[in-house]
Amino acid sequence: MEEVKKKRMLSGIQPSGDLHLGNYLGAIKNWADRVDEYECFYFMADLHTITVRQDPAELRRRSINQLAQYIACGLDPEKNVLFLQSHVPAHSQLAWVLSCYTMFGELSRMTQFKDKSAKYSDNINSGLFTYPVLMAADILLYQADYVPVGEDQKQHVELCRDIAQRFNSVYGDVFKVPEPLINKVGARIYGLTTPGAKMSKSVPDGCVFLMDSPDDIRRKFKRAVTDSDRENCVRFDKENKPGVANLMNIYSTLTGKTMEQIEAEFAGQGYGSFKPAVGEAVIEAMRPIREEAERLIKDKAYLDDVYRKGAEAASYVAGKTLRKVYKKVGFYQL
Ligand code: TRP
Protein backbone atom coordinates (compact mmCIF):
# COMPACT_ATOMS: atom_id res chain seq x y z
CA MET A 1 0.00 0.00 0.00
CA GLU A 2 1.22 3.48 -0.79
CA GLU A 3 2.21 5.45 2.22
CA VAL A 4 0.35 8.75 2.61
CA LYS A 5 2.78 11.60 3.08
CA LYS A 6 2.25 13.33 6.40
CA LYS A 7 1.60 17.05 6.49
CA ARG A 8 4.42 19.05 7.96
CA MET A 9 4.13 21.20 11.06
CA LEU A 10 6.69 23.71 12.28
CA SER A 11 6.94 26.08 15.18
CA GLY A 12 9.58 28.13 16.92
CA ILE A 13 9.94 29.11 20.53
CA GLN A 14 12.17 31.92 21.72
CA PRO A 15 14.49 30.82 24.52
CA SER A 16 14.02 34.24 26.08
CA GLY A 17 12.63 33.12 29.42
CA ASP A 18 12.24 30.04 31.57
CA LEU A 19 9.32 27.80 30.60
CA HIS A 20 6.23 27.97 32.77
CA LEU A 21 2.86 26.34 33.34
CA GLY A 22 1.20 28.59 30.75
CA ASN A 23 3.64 27.39 28.07
CA TYR A 24 3.10 23.80 29.12
CA LEU A 25 -0.70 23.68 29.36
CA GLY A 26 -1.25 26.17 26.54
CA ALA A 27 1.10 24.64 24.00
CA ILE A 28 3.77 22.04 24.73
CA LYS A 29 1.40 19.47 26.23
CA ASN A 30 -0.49 19.24 22.95
CA TRP A 31 2.56 18.99 20.76
CA ALA A 32 3.59 15.57 21.90
CA ASP A 33 0.21 14.18 20.77
CA ARG A 34 0.61 15.41 17.20
CA VAL A 35 3.61 13.38 16.32
CA ASP A 36 1.77 10.45 14.74
CA GLU A 37 -0.35 12.61 12.52
CA TYR A 38 2.23 15.16 11.37
CA GLU A 39 5.89 15.46 10.60
CA CYS A 40 6.97 17.93 13.26
CA PHE A 41 9.82 20.44 13.37
CA TYR A 42 10.33 22.51 16.52
CA PHE A 43 13.20 24.89 17.03
CA MET A 44 14.51 27.33 19.61
CA ALA A 45 14.47 30.72 17.94
CA ASP A 46 17.69 32.05 19.45
CA LEU A 47 18.32 34.39 16.51
CA HIS A 48 15.04 36.11 17.29
CA THR A 49 15.86 36.68 20.95
CA ILE A 50 18.69 39.16 20.31
CA THR A 51 16.27 41.73 18.92
CA VAL A 52 16.13 42.69 22.59
CA ARG A 53 19.26 42.61 24.73
CA GLN A 54 20.09 39.22 26.22
CA ASP A 55 22.64 38.22 28.79
CA PRO A 56 24.92 35.88 26.76
CA ALA A 57 25.48 33.33 29.55
CA GLU A 58 21.75 33.20 30.30
CA LEU A 59 20.83 32.77 26.64
CA ARG A 60 23.33 29.92 26.35
CA ARG A 61 21.99 28.27 29.51
CA ARG A 62 18.36 28.51 28.42
CA SER A 63 19.08 27.29 24.89
CA ILE A 64 20.26 23.94 26.23
CA ASN A 65 18.08 23.71 29.36
CA GLN A 66 14.92 24.30 27.40
CA LEU A 67 15.74 21.43 25.11
CA ALA A 68 15.89 19.22 28.21
CA GLN A 69 12.56 20.61 29.38
CA TYR A 70 10.84 20.04 26.05
CA ILE A 71 12.02 16.46 25.96
CA ALA A 72 10.88 16.02 29.58
CA CYS A 73 7.46 17.36 28.59
CA GLY A 74 7.12 14.48 26.15
CA LEU A 75 8.60 15.74 22.88
CA ASP A 76 10.48 12.70 21.66
CA PRO A 77 13.63 13.69 19.72
CA GLU A 78 13.49 10.41 17.83
CA LYS A 79 10.11 11.37 16.39
CA ASN A 80 10.29 15.19 16.17
CA VAL A 81 13.07 17.24 14.63
CA LEU A 82 14.30 19.45 17.50
CA PHE A 83 16.98 22.01 16.74
CA LEU A 84 18.52 25.37 17.51
CA GLN A 85 17.91 28.06 14.90
CA SER A 86 21.49 29.40 14.90
CA HIS A 87 22.78 25.92 14.06
CA VAL A 88 21.12 26.11 10.64
CA PRO A 89 22.65 29.03 8.70
CA ALA A 90 20.00 28.79 5.97
CA HIS A 91 17.60 30.75 8.23
CA SER A 92 19.77 33.86 8.07
CA GLN A 93 20.57 33.30 4.42
CA LEU A 94 16.96 33.04 3.28
CA ALA A 95 15.95 35.95 5.52
CA TRP A 96 18.20 38.27 3.51
CA VAL A 97 16.65 37.19 0.21
CA LEU A 98 13.12 37.49 1.56
CA SER A 99 13.83 40.93 2.97
CA CYS A 100 14.14 42.09 -0.64
CA TYR A 101 10.61 40.81 -1.26
CA THR A 102 9.06 42.40 1.82
CA MET A 103 7.84 45.95 1.81
CA PHE A 104 8.82 48.57 4.35
CA GLY A 105 5.14 49.47 4.70
CA GLU A 106 4.17 45.88 5.50
CA LEU A 107 6.70 45.67 8.30
CA SER A 108 5.64 49.06 9.67
CA ARG A 109 2.13 47.73 10.14
CA MET A 110 3.12 44.83 12.41
CA THR A 111 1.53 45.39 15.80
CA GLN A 112 4.30 43.52 17.61
CA PHE A 113 6.87 45.92 16.16
CA LYS A 114 4.82 48.89 17.32
CA ASP A 115 4.41 47.39 20.81
CA LYS A 116 8.03 46.36 21.16
CA SER A 117 9.45 49.61 19.86
CA ALA A 118 7.35 51.42 22.46
CA LYS A 119 8.52 49.04 25.19
CA TYR A 120 12.20 49.09 24.20
CA SER A 121 12.34 52.67 22.97
CA ASP A 122 16.07 52.94 23.70
CA ASN A 123 16.86 50.05 21.34
CA ILE A 124 14.68 50.16 18.22
CA ASN A 125 17.15 48.19 16.13
CA SER A 126 16.54 47.06 12.57
CA GLY A 127 16.36 43.43 13.70
CA LEU A 128 13.26 44.29 15.69
CA PHE A 129 11.80 45.69 12.48
CA THR A 130 12.77 42.82 10.17
CA TYR A 131 11.95 40.10 12.72
CA PRO A 132 8.91 38.89 10.70
CA VAL A 133 11.14 38.35 7.65
CA LEU A 134 13.37 35.98 9.61
CA MET A 135 10.23 34.26 10.87
CA ALA A 136 8.98 33.88 7.29
CA ALA A 137 12.34 32.31 6.37
CA ASP A 138 12.03 29.90 9.32
CA ILE A 139 8.71 28.69 8.01
CA LEU A 140 9.24 28.73 4.24
CA LEU A 141 12.57 26.87 4.37
CA TYR A 142 10.73 23.77 5.59
CA GLN A 143 7.76 23.98 3.20
CA ALA A 144 5.55 23.72 6.28
CA ASP A 145 1.82 23.09 5.87
CA TYR A 146 0.84 24.28 9.33
CA VAL A 147 2.32 26.70 11.82
CA PRO A 148 0.89 26.44 15.33
CA VAL A 149 1.27 29.81 17.04
CA GLY A 150 -0.38 31.99 19.63
CA GLU A 151 -2.87 34.65 18.58
CA ASP A 152 -0.11 37.30 18.90
CA GLN A 153 1.87 35.69 16.05
CA LYS A 154 -0.98 35.34 13.58
CA GLN A 155 -0.16 38.60 11.82
CA HIS A 156 3.41 37.41 11.25
CA VAL A 157 2.25 34.15 9.69
CA GLU A 158 -0.11 36.08 7.45
CA LEU A 159 2.76 38.27 6.31
CA CYS A 160 4.74 35.10 5.64
CA ARG A 161 1.94 33.91 3.37
CA ASP A 162 2.00 37.21 1.49
CA ILE A 163 5.76 37.01 1.02
CA ALA A 164 5.51 33.41 -0.21
CA GLN A 165 2.77 34.27 -2.68
CA ARG A 166 4.67 37.28 -3.95
CA PHE A 167 7.82 35.22 -4.49
CA ASN A 168 5.88 32.38 -6.13
CA SER A 169 4.11 34.76 -8.47
CA VAL A 170 7.49 35.87 -9.83
CA TYR A 171 9.41 32.57 -9.83
CA GLY A 172 6.84 29.76 -9.88
CA ASP A 173 5.91 27.39 -7.09
CA VAL A 174 8.96 27.68 -4.87
CA PHE A 175 7.32 27.90 -1.46
CA LYS A 176 4.43 26.09 0.13
CA VAL A 177 2.01 28.73 1.44
CA PRO A 178 1.51 27.80 5.11
CA GLU A 179 -1.63 27.96 7.24
CA PRO A 180 -1.48 29.40 10.74
CA LEU A 181 -2.93 27.08 13.34
CA ILE A 182 -4.16 29.16 16.22
CA ASN A 183 -4.15 27.01 19.27
CA LYS A 184 -7.63 26.68 20.64
CA VAL A 185 -7.14 23.27 22.16
CA GLY A 186 -4.68 24.35 24.80
CA ALA A 187 -5.81 26.06 27.94
CA ARG A 188 -5.19 29.77 28.21
CA ILE A 189 -3.54 30.27 31.57
CA TYR A 190 -3.49 33.62 33.33
CA GLY A 191 -1.12 34.94 35.99
CA LEU A 192 -1.89 33.81 39.53
CA THR A 193 -1.54 37.34 40.87
CA THR A 194 -2.79 39.09 37.72
CA PRO A 195 -5.72 37.03 36.39
CA GLY A 196 -6.42 39.69 33.77
CA ALA A 197 -3.14 38.99 31.95
CA LYS A 198 -1.54 35.89 30.43
CA MET A 199 0.82 34.03 32.78
CA SER A 200 4.18 35.61 32.14
CA LYS A 201 7.75 35.35 33.32
CA SER A 202 7.75 39.11 33.83
CA VAL A 203 5.44 38.67 36.84
CA PRO A 204 7.38 35.88 38.61
CA ASP A 205 5.18 35.79 41.74
CA GLY A 206 2.19 34.76 39.68
CA CYS A 207 4.11 32.50 37.34
CA VAL A 208 4.78 28.80 37.98
CA PHE A 209 8.02 27.81 36.27
CA LEU A 210 8.47 24.19 35.18
CA MET A 211 11.61 23.98 37.30
CA ASP A 212 10.05 25.48 40.46
CA SER A 213 10.39 23.38 43.60
CA PRO A 214 7.23 22.06 45.32
CA ASP A 215 7.71 24.69 48.03
CA ASP A 216 7.86 27.50 45.49
CA ILE A 217 4.69 26.21 43.86
CA ARG A 218 2.88 25.88 47.19
CA ARG A 219 3.79 29.45 48.13
CA LYS A 220 2.64 30.84 44.77
CA PHE A 221 -0.76 29.14 44.98
CA LYS A 222 -1.24 30.30 48.52
CA ARG A 223 -0.89 33.88 47.30
CA ALA A 224 -3.04 33.40 44.20
CA VAL A 225 -5.69 36.09 43.68
CA THR A 226 -9.23 34.73 43.88
CA ASP A 227 -11.88 37.44 43.79
CA SER A 228 -12.77 40.65 45.49
CA ASP A 229 -16.41 39.86 46.28
CA ARG A 230 -15.51 37.82 49.36
CA GLU A 231 -18.05 35.23 48.29
CA ASN A 232 -15.52 32.54 49.16
CA CYS A 233 -17.24 30.03 46.94
CA VAL A 234 -15.66 27.96 44.16
CA ARG A 235 -17.87 28.83 41.22
CA PHE A 236 -16.91 29.21 37.54
CA ASP A 237 -17.61 32.81 36.62
CA LYS A 238 -14.98 34.13 34.23
CA GLU A 239 -16.37 37.63 34.18
CA ASN A 240 -16.70 38.32 37.89
CA LYS A 241 -14.24 35.83 39.34
CA PRO A 242 -11.38 35.62 36.83
CA GLY A 243 -8.88 34.48 39.46
CA VAL A 244 -11.05 31.57 40.59
CA ALA A 245 -11.91 30.69 36.97
CA ASN A 246 -8.19 30.56 36.14
CA LEU A 247 -7.46 28.24 39.05
CA MET A 248 -10.39 26.04 38.07
CA ASN A 249 -9.14 25.95 34.51
CA ILE A 250 -5.69 24.83 35.67
CA TYR A 251 -7.22 22.18 37.92
CA SER A 252 -9.57 20.99 35.20
CA THR A 253 -6.82 20.73 32.59
CA LEU A 254 -4.62 18.68 34.93
CA THR A 255 -7.27 16.38 36.38
CA GLY A 256 -9.70 16.12 33.46
CA LYS A 257 -12.57 17.12 35.77
CA THR A 258 -15.33 19.39 34.49
CA MET A 259 -16.16 22.75 36.09
CA GLU A 260 -19.34 21.25 37.59
CA GLN A 261 -17.37 18.41 39.15
CA ILE A 262 -14.89 20.88 40.61
CA GLU A 263 -17.66 23.07 42.03
CA ALA A 264 -19.18 19.98 43.65
CA GLU A 265 -15.84 18.80 44.99
CA PHE A 266 -15.21 22.08 46.82
CA ALA A 267 -18.80 22.95 47.72
CA GLY A 268 -18.88 24.60 51.12
CA GLN A 269 -15.09 24.58 51.49
CA GLY A 270 -14.03 28.00 50.28
CA TYR A 271 -10.74 29.15 48.80
CA GLY A 272 -8.74 28.11 51.84
CA SER A 273 -8.85 24.49 50.75
CA PHE A 274 -9.28 25.05 47.03
CA LYS A 275 -6.06 27.01 46.42
CA PRO A 276 -3.73 24.46 48.07
CA ALA A 277 -5.53 21.62 46.27
CA VAL A 278 -4.78 23.23 42.91
CA GLY A 279 -1.20 23.78 44.07
CA GLU A 280 -0.81 20.09 44.94
CA ALA A 281 -2.26 19.01 41.59
CA VAL A 282 0.29 21.23 39.85
CA ILE A 283 3.13 19.93 42.02
CA GLU A 284 2.26 16.33 41.15
CA ALA A 285 1.93 17.10 37.44
CA MET A 286 5.24 19.00 37.35
CA ARG A 287 7.24 16.57 39.46
CA PRO A 288 8.04 13.96 36.77
CA ILE A 289 8.77 16.70 34.24
CA ARG A 290 11.14 18.55 36.56
CA GLU A 291 12.90 15.38 37.63
CA GLU A 292 13.37 14.18 34.07
CA ALA A 293 14.57 17.63 32.96
CA GLU A 294 17.07 17.75 35.85
CA ARG A 295 18.38 14.35 34.86
CA LEU A 296 18.72 15.35 31.19
CA ILE A 297 20.41 18.67 31.98
CA LYS A 298 23.21 16.73 33.63
CA ASP A 299 23.64 14.69 30.45
CA LYS A 300 25.01 17.42 28.25
CA ALA A 301 26.55 14.97 25.80
CA TYR A 302 23.11 13.55 25.09
CA LEU A 303 21.51 16.98 24.63
CA ASP A 304 24.32 18.14 22.35
CA ASP A 305 23.80 15.01 20.32
CA VAL A 306 20.07 15.75 19.97
CA TYR A 307 20.89 19.26 18.77
CA ARG A 308 23.55 17.94 16.40
CA LYS A 309 21.20 15.41 14.80
CA GLY A 310 18.37 17.93 14.73
CA ALA A 311 20.54 20.49 12.93
CA GLU A 312 21.58 17.86 10.43
CA ALA A 313 18.01 16.81 9.64
CA ALA A 314 16.83 20.42 9.49
CA SER A 315 19.77 21.54 7.31
CA TYR A 316 18.98 18.84 4.80
CA VAL A 317 15.44 20.10 4.23
CA ALA A 318 16.34 23.80 4.53
CA GLY A 319 19.31 23.45 2.18
CA LYS A 320 17.13 22.11 -0.61
CA THR A 321 14.81 25.12 -0.42
CA LEU A 322 17.66 27.61 -0.18
CA ARG A 323 19.43 26.19 -3.23
CA LYS A 324 16.25 26.44 -5.23
CA VAL A 325 15.76 30.06 -4.16
CA TYR A 326 19.37 31.02 -4.98
CA LYS A 327 18.96 29.51 -8.42
CA LYS A 328 15.62 31.19 -9.07
CA VAL A 329 16.81 34.67 -8.17
CA GLY A 330 19.88 34.28 -10.38
CA PHE A 331 22.83 33.65 -8.06
CA TYR A 332 25.59 32.00 -10.07
CA GLN A 333 26.09 28.40 -8.98
CA LEU A 334 29.33 26.43 -9.01
N1 TRP B 1 7.96 34.78 16.82
C1 TRP B 1 7.58 33.61 17.54
C2 TRP B 1 7.21 33.99 18.98
O1 TRP B 1 7.73 34.94 19.51
C3 TRP B 1 8.67 32.59 17.57
C4 TRP B 1 9.00 32.13 16.20
C5 TRP B 1 10.13 32.44 15.50
C6 TRP B 1 8.21 31.29 15.38
N2 TRP B 1 10.10 31.83 14.30
C7 TRP B 1 8.94 31.13 14.17
C8 TRP B 1 6.97 30.68 15.54
C9 TRP B 1 8.44 30.36 13.12
C10 TRP B 1 6.48 29.91 14.48
C11 TRP B 1 7.21 29.76 13.28
O2 TRP B 1 6.42 33.31 19.59
Side-chain angles (χ1 to χ4, degrees):
M1 215 165 69
E2 204 181 320
E3 203 184 318
V4 183
K5 206 164 171 292
K6 286 185 192 174
K7 297 267 188 193
R8 192 172 283 166
M9 187 164 277
L10 170 137
S11 196
I13 318 102
Q14 291 197 50
S16 55
D18 287 320
L19 295 176
H20 55 72
L21 191 64
N23 301 132
Y24 177 64
L25 296 180
I28 311 169
K29 193 166 174 274
N30 306 311
W31 293 356
D33 304 332
R34 292 194 188 123
V35 74
D36 296 321
E37 201 179 336
Y38 301 98
E39 190 187 355
C40 297
F41 287 73
Y42 297 110
F43 65 96
M44 311 290 168
D46 58 345
L47 298 176
H48 279 89
T49 66
I50 63 164
T51 53
V52 301
R53 289 282 174 266
Q54 300 289 329
D55 177 78
E58 271 294 297
L59 177 59
R60 206 172 286 122
R61 177 189 69 82
R62 284 195 303 260
S63 297
I64 193 77
N65 285 12
Q66 280 189 15
L67 176 65
Q69 292 171 36
Y70 280 105
I71 298 172
C73 286
L75 273 193
D76 182 349
E78 300 291 326
K79 295 185 179 164
N80 300 272
V81 180
L82 308 178
F83 66 101
L84 188 64
Q85 189 184 25
S86 65
H87 290 167
V88 183
H91 290 244
S92 310
Q93 294 169 302
L94 182 62
W96 168 254
V97 176
L98 295 183
S99 73
C100 302
Y101 297 80
T102 309
M103 300 302 132
F104 186 88
E106 289 176 308
L107 292 173
S108 325
R109 284 194 291 276
M110 294 294 115
T111 55
Q112 190 175 72
F113 171 69
K114 293 188 216 167
D115 293 347
K116 285 206 174 174
S117 49
K119 187 166 168 197
Y120 303 102
S121 57
D122 58 342
N123 183 22
I124 307 178
N125 59 76
S126 55
L128 200 60
F129 189 66
T130 57
Y131 176 117
V133 180
L134 178 58
M135 182 161 161
D138 298 338
I139 298 167
L140 299 179
L141 275 175
Y142 298 92
Q143 310 286 351
D145 297 280
Y146 297 110
V147 185
V149 284
E151 186 67 42
D152 62 321
Q153 296 297 317
K154 196 171 162 212
Q155 199 184 26
H156 292 161
V157 180
E158 271 156 11
L159 177 61
C160 169
R161 290 168 56 87
D162 292 343
I163 298 170
Q165 277 158 350
R166 181 173 301 141
F167 196 93
N168 286 351
S169 73
V170 182
Y171 301 103
D173 271 343
V174 177
F175 297 125
K176 172 130 232 163
V177 180
E179 301 275 347
L181 211 71
I182 308 300
N183 211 339
K184 293 204 173 66
V185 188
R188 198 177 162 88
I189 306 297
Y190 297 89
L192 299 185
T193 52
T194 50
K198 246 182 19 175
M199 183 173 278
S200 155
K201 58 181 190 286
S202 54
V203 189
D205 278 346
C207 180
V208 179
F209 294 99
L210 294 192
M211 301 308 278
D212 273 352
S213 70
D215 280 344
D216 289 333
I217 299 177
R218 237 169 246 129
R219 181 175 46 80
K220 288 178 183 176
F221 276 91
K222 220 164 157 182
R223 294 197 193 145
V225 169
T226 45
D227 61 19
S228 47
D229 63 10
R230 296 165 182 275
E231 188 189 23
N232 200 20
C233 165
V234 178
R235 190 163 55 74
F236 191 75
D237 179 350
K238 233 175 150 183
E239 194 107 317
N240 298 305
K241 297 151 78 80
V244 177
N246 185 39
L247 293 174
M248 290 178 78
N249 192 20
I250 293 172
Y251 194 66
S252 162
T253 311
L254 292 176
T255 61
K257 292 176 187 168
T258 64
M259 297 306 168
E260 293 76 38
Q261 287 170 327
I262 299 170
E263 287 172 359
E265 184 177 345
F266 293 96
Q269 292 187 48
Y271 306 142
S273 36
F274 177 56
K275 290 203 288 182
V278 182
E280 291 309 313
V282 171
I283 290 169
E284 287 322 309
M286 294 297 105
R287 189 189 304 280
I289 293 174
R290 183 180 32 111
E291 287 175 357
E292 177 65 358
E294 279 167 354
R295 188 185 70 78
L296 289 170
I297 286 166
K298 287 192 206 119
D299 194 350
K300 208 171 148 289
Y302 168 75
L303 294 174
D304 282 357
D305 198 48
V306 169
Y307 263 160
R308 211 167 275 124
K309 289 191 176 125
E312 209 175 291
S315 297
Y316 177 77
V317 178
K320 276 209 269 198
T321 303
L322 186 70
R323 280 193 296 279
K324 200 164 169 188
V325 168
Y326 272 20
K327 203 166 151 193
K328 290 282 185 187
V329 299
F331 294 160
Y332 179 77
Q333 319 242 303
L334 291 175

